[in-house]
Amino acid sequence: MTRVRRLTVLGAAAALAGSLVAVPAAAGSTAPAPPAAADRDRGTTTPEKTPVAVGHGGAVSSVDPDASAAGISVLRKGGNAVDAAVATAAALGVTEPYSAGIGGGGYFVSYDARTRTVRTLDGRETAPRSAGKDLFLEHGTPIPFDDAVTSGLSVGTPGTAATWDTALRKWGSRSLRQVLRPAQRLAADGFTVDRTFRQQTADNEARFRDFPATARLYLPGGQLPVVGSTMTNPDLARTYRELATKGAGALYDGALARDIVRTVRKPPVRAGSPRTIRPGDLTTGDLRAYRVLSQAPTRTGYRGLDVYGMAPSSSGGTGVAEALNILERSDLSRLSEKQYLHRYIEAARIAFADRGRWVGDPAQEEVPTKGLTSQRFADARACLIRDDKALTSPLAPGDPRHPERCGTGGRAAPTTYEGENTTHLTVADKWGNVVAYTLTIEQTGGSGIVVPHRGFLLNNELTDFSFAPAGASVHDPNLPGPGKRPRSSMSPTIVLRHGRPVVALGSPGGATIITTVLQTLVNHLDRGMPLVDAIAAPRASQRNAARTELEPGLWNSPVRGQLEAIGHAFKENPEIGAATGVQRLPDGRWLAAAEKVRRGGGSARVVHRS
């Protein structure tokens, strides 16, 4: 059960002012005892929350100060970037539980300084082996999207714990037990509730109340958590301890696995709930069969740099690469803001048109990754862009297998909805290793279902599948299938020059992740913005839709009218993405950068400031 305790008046005022204050658990708390004092990072009792930090010894950037502090503590004790990334992710499972955690999955991109190579792990969730194309159909009709989200039907086999274990075994220098200590302590001792956490809880309050285990954890005493109070999660602390003792395999075979399957197959709904909660068909066999995939990254050249990303089942690597290749022939540094935004929007529109037709799980679909990331295909598509007139969506896809100048073919496939409350972290160490890691439980709060007595939410990742084909003449590579991984937009990205890191970044935001990463890269590499300003700049997101989404900074700008004059249509989006990144400076120091405002601002930290 969660314990929430009010801070002193002084502490509450500090929290309301934006300072997060760590407070010990209340006397008599049922939380397990925290690790010994020797295991604590005494320098992070009151974590700093700042959007930019410069120094040496390594860097961590995430959305949350406690999570960034967890990663820094591992770096200070001699761990490498992989160790710190797992520690940061585990802490985010405590403080950002509506965005990520061991009930979900993600994509891990890592640069090895010794070999100067980039390698990736696909830790995406998988559908049950019983799933067919009709997973979300009843009587031949798609069920309502919200009904699918809040159900056992939407839960895929989680991949996060297996990703941590695989990354540490392959490339880490510390054990899972060691890197879980900061997060285990954080779950036991608690973190300070901020406005973002309270608002996200409020947004999910109605459905959280329908699941007793979820309500006990996130609605303590039947109420929304109070800003400035301390929230503990002793059940998650115990679960982390079990993983630390037995290994990540405990989530896939054993009592914990059985608890997950039982929760999915018979969701624990409160008596009298009017909500229809459909059960899922996940089995212990599905969990035992789960595997993290080690695979080559996507790669494209851009302005003399090498841009590496995540290959399918994610569409992030192919989407970012294709759009950059389309923009390669334009000198964006010399263009006006109108011209630059026009070409950026059109490149994103085209990339999404091709993504919808071609990208799915490569284990079950023929995905032409090499063609999608080729300059030849991009050049054939770039000729569609006119400076005096915007393209119209939905735009039909091209064929990367047989590129034809300005060629399009067939009908456009729809851009499926993806939940926006993913999270991203970026880490570097003193040896020059870098990790960009995006992880998620999909929608804010995932399925809404906490595994009883285990302290974590289950994902609703399977709603990233298309529920039904767009039409008989449209091939959709993202329909459900047995053991299939739903397409993702997660775009952890690492950029190298002559084999050495230049910048690494990523973002949450569902399908807007691709455009956020693309625009941030262009802002930084082409428009000359410092990384923190490139992240903070107002965003536009075009995903082969009738209207491009604009944040207020662009919506209220004269450039909107200039773009509308050539045929662009827009709608306002108050917030797009929440990026983090690290940059290697010419003198060898690291710069960590995070959001200044979005999601309450991020937390960029370095081991030693300078």
Side-chain angles (χ1 to χ4, degrees):
M1 181 176 178
T2 299
R3 302 290 185 187
V4 175
R5 183 163 60 82
R6 296 297 299 272
L7 294 173
T8 63
V9 174
L10 178 62
L16 289 169
S19 300
L20 296 184
V21 181
V23 180
S29 169
T30 58
D39 292 332
R40 300 189 183 202
D41 178 15
R42 297 181 181 276
T44 60
T45 301
T46 305
E48 179 182 14
K49 192 167 189 178
T50 179
V52 64
V54 179
H56 54 95
V60 179
S61 186
S62 80
V63 73
D64 180 76
D66 287 301
S68 293
I72 289 291
S73 72
V74 170
L75 293 177
R76 281 181 177 154
K77 294 171 184 175
N80 66 22
V82 172
D83 305 323
V86 175
T88 304
L92 287 167
V94 181
T95 62
E96 290 284 304
Y98 306 150
S99 299
I102 55 174
Y107 298 97
F108 194 100
V109 179
S110 174
Y111 167 78
D112 178 66
R114 183 180 61 83
T115 61
R116 299 189 186 182
T117 57
V118 176
R119 54 274 174 104
T120 77
L121 297 175
D122 180 331
R124 185 66 158 157
E125 301 88 340
T126 56
R129 290 173 295 179
S130 62
K133 292 182 179 181
D134 60 348
L135 179 65
F136 293 110
L137 302 180
E138 289 183 356
H139 309 297
T141 302
I143 65 175
F145 185 81
D146 289 346
D147 288 3
V149 168
T150 308
S151 74
L153 203 62
S154 68
V155 180
T157 301
T160 292
T163 301
W164 295 351
D165 180 67
T166 304
L168 291 171
R169 284 189 292 102
K170 282 178 170 288
W171 311 313
S173 66
R174 298 292 186 268
S175 67
L176 183 62
R177 178 194 293 268
Q178 289 172 305
V179 300
L180 284 180
R181 282 174 182 162
Q184 185 181 330
R185 184 188 70 245
L186 187 60
D189 289 355
F191 65 94
T192 305
V193 173
D194 63 12
R195 288 188 180 90
T196 300
F197 186 86
R198 178 185 167 87
Q199 185 59 54
Q200 290 179 341
T201 309
D203 293 343
N204 284 280
E205 181 179 4
R207 66 184 187 130
F208 280 6
R209 289 194 183 280
D210 283 335
F211 300 100
T214 308
R216 280 194 299 270
L217 182 56
Y218 294 122
L219 298 169
Q223 303 297 317
L224 290 171
V226 177
V227 173
S229 62
T230 299
M231 176 165 280
T232 65
N233 189 341
D235 285 344
L236 183 57
R238 282 190 289 270
T239 299
Y240 277 168
R241 181 183 298 159
E242 183 172 346
L243 295 178
T245 302
K246 299 179 180 178
L251 190 140
Y252 300 93
D253 192 9
L256 177 53
R258 291 192 293 273
D259 286 349
I260 292 171
V261 169
R262 185 182 305 114
T263 304
V264 172
R265 297 181 70 87
K266 191 175 182 180
V269 188
R270 71 172 173 86
S273 170
R275 195 182 300 270
T276 299
I277 308 295
R278 293 167 175 81
D281 197 34
L282 194 71
T283 68
T284 53
D286 290 318
L287 266 66
R288 284 194 300 270
Y290 184 81
R291 296 293 182 271
V292 171
L293 304 178
S294 299
Q295 59 191 44
T298 59
R299 177 198 166 277
T300 192
Y302 186 69
R303 317 264 191 236
L305 304 172
D306 293 304
V307 181
Y308 292 89
M310 195 68 220
S313 56
S314 178
S315 63
T318 57
V320 170
E322 182 180 352
L324 286 175
N325 287 338
I326 290 171
L327 295 171
E328 176 80 39
R329 307 303 189 198
S330 301
D331 186 351
L332 301 182
S333 66
R334 296 179 178 273
L335 298 181
S336 67
E337 185 180 20
K338 171 201 166 185
Q339 292 169 324
Y340 143 66
L341 285 170
H342 169 64
R343 294 192 190 180
Y344 153 72
I345 288 169
E346 300 295 62
R349 188 194 311 269
I350 294 168
F352 266 87
D354 298 328
R355 163 198 190 262
R357 167 60 182 86
W358 297 106
V359 181
D361 182 348
Q364 300 189 30
E365 302 286 339
E366 293 185 11
V367 184
T369 300
K370 187 175 180 180
L372 287 167
T373 58
S374 71
Q375 190 64 52
R376 181 186 174 209
F377 179 57
D379 289 345
R381 298 290 277 159
C383 70
L384 294 168
I385 300 174
R386 291 174 48 181
D387 287 337
D388 61 344
K389 185 178 181 180
L391 291 166
T392 301
S393 288
L395 182 71
D399 189 342
R401 302 166 304 176
H402 308 288
E404 295 181 5
R405 181 171 172 77
C406 301
T408 57
R411 290 176 53 196
T415 297
T416 51
Y417 176 79
E418 296 175 44
E420 297 187 357
N421 275 64
T422 302
T423 194
H424 178 82
L425 61 98
T426 321
V427 179
D429 65 29
K430 63 184 178 181
W431 297 283
N433 303 303
V434 179
V435 171
Y437 181 23
T438 314
L439 60 159
T440 186
I441 58 171
E442 215 281 331
Q443 196 149 303
T444 310
S447 64
I449 306 171
V450 165
V451 181
H453 311 298
R454 294 297 188 172
F456 63 91
L457 285 155
L458 291 171
N459 69 83
N460 65 291
E461 214 63 64
L462 301 188
T463 59
D464 277 356
F465 283 123
S466 304
F467 282 24
S473 63
V474 181
H475 176 76
D476 189 339
N478 192 42
L479 291 169
K484 193 173 182 179
R485 296 171 190 240
R487 181 175 60 210
S488 170
S489 294
M490 288 184 271
S491 308
T493 302
I494 296 177
V495 181
L496 307 181
R497 178 185 285 113
H498 305 309
R500 297 184 183 279
V502 173
V503 66
L505 74 158
S507 176
T512 70
I513 293 173
I514 292 172
T515 58
T516 294
V517 169
L518 173 64
Q519 190 172 7
T520 304
L521 283 172
V522 171
N523 283 342
H524 181 57
L525 300 176
D526 290 296
R527 306 291 283 180
M529 294 183 186
L531 183 58
V532 69
D533 294 334
I535 287 171
R539 294 182 182 134
S541 181
Q542 168 54 240
R543 306 186 299 281
N544 200 22
R547 293 188 290 171
T548 300
E549 295 176 11
L550 296 182
E551 286 188 323
L554 290 173
W555 178 262
N556 298 318
S557 166
V559 76
R560 173 165 67 98
Q562 297 168 15
L563 290 167
E564 286 174 336
I566 60 171
H568 287 280
F570 299 106
K571 65 178 179 179
E572 190 173 13
N573 185 333
E575 185 175 280
I576 298 173
T580 74
V582 298
Q583 178 187 1
R584 188 69 152 178
L585 300 177
D587 61 6
R589 293 180 299 162
W590 288 109
L591 180 148
E595 295 288 352
K596 295 180 179 180
V597 176
R598 295 180 186 94
R599 293 203 188 181
S603 175
R605 300 195 58 167
V606 291
V607 174
H608 303 292
R609 276 188 174 273
S610 59

